[in-house]
Amino acid sequence: MARTRGKETLGASPRGAKRKKVVYVFTEGKETEPSFLDIIWERHCESGVARNVDLRISNRKAAGSHRKPLTLVEDATRTMREKTREAKKAKTPLPDVWVLFDRDQHEHIQKAMSEAEAAGVRVAFSHPCFEVWRLLHHKDVSGTFGGVCGIATQRLPFAQTSLNIKLVQPGEIPKDSYTKARDRALKMNAQHHDHVPRELRDPYTDVHEFIETGLGITTY
């Protein structure tokens, strides 16, 4: 992990190679989501499977004031416009831009989702927080967390022994656990009726859509 952590670009194409589609992602968390993405991307790169995209975590060094959902979407929208212009001019694949954020206690969630959709920015959303997705790598999730992220965090099997629960460690993601996590997420999400908005579904996560649709990863 040392060779990727702290860098924006993961697995960039060698100079002179055919350009791949670039996926830009803005994460709410400064440690959790980036460390998770570093781990699964490195596993993907080491798997020998041909990669069709380059991943760039665009806001690794952003301050906390730029990690609220609405601000994330605003920053992602600017990136979408800029990188789309560049891609069209260079005749390279158009970029994908994603934001990963949670329900937590944030304001303006619905507005952030609406503005993202209008700008062509994709949202991977978790309720109450990203820890639900981490938990699904280990067990089924049912019932409700009442919007309290701390309850989801406490259920993580390593919560009592981790020195920094926000930083995901490779050993915390079992090998070949993606399919189980995705299937558990689909089962969990099916508890909610389709007419219920995403921001009101507790528990909920669609991080797997970013992993499969955005990154083209189907196993790790």
Side-chain angles (χ1 to χ4, degrees), residues 121-196:
V121 171
R122 299 288 301 273
V123 174
F125 176 72
S126 298
H127 191 320
C129 57
F130 187 83
E131 276 61 39
V132 173
W133 174 244
R134 296 172 69 183
L135 185 58
L136 289 164
H137 287 73
H138 302 274
K139 61 180 72 175
D140 287 320
V141 175
S142 60
T144 177
F145 293 106
V148 181
C149 183
I151 297 177
T153 302
Q154 290 170 7
R155 293 187 187 178
L156 292 171
F158 38 83
Q160 304 306 316
T161 58
S162 176
L163 297 178
N164 181 2
I165 196 65
K166 291 185 178 181
L167 187 66
V168 182
Q169 301 293 337
E172 298 170 9
I173 306 175
K175 289 292 183 69
D176 301 318
S177 61
Y178 170 71
T179 301
K180 289 182 179 179
R182 179 201 62 202
D183 291 348
R184 287 168 179 156
L186 294 172
K187 178 181 177 182
M188 178 188 73
N189 294 345
Q191 299 175 87
H192 309 290
H193 296 294
D194 291 342
H195 68 273
V196 178

Side-chain angles (χ1 to χ4, degrees), residues 1-12 38-39 41-47 60:
M1 300 313 303
R3 65 177 180 272
T4 58
R5 185 166 294 153
K7 296 182 180 180
E8 174 186 312
T9 304
L10 305 182
D38 285 342
I39 293 166
W41 190 254
E42 183 155 329
R43 288 185 186 176
H44 180 54
C45 293
E46 292 175 347
S47 68
R60 278 193 188 270

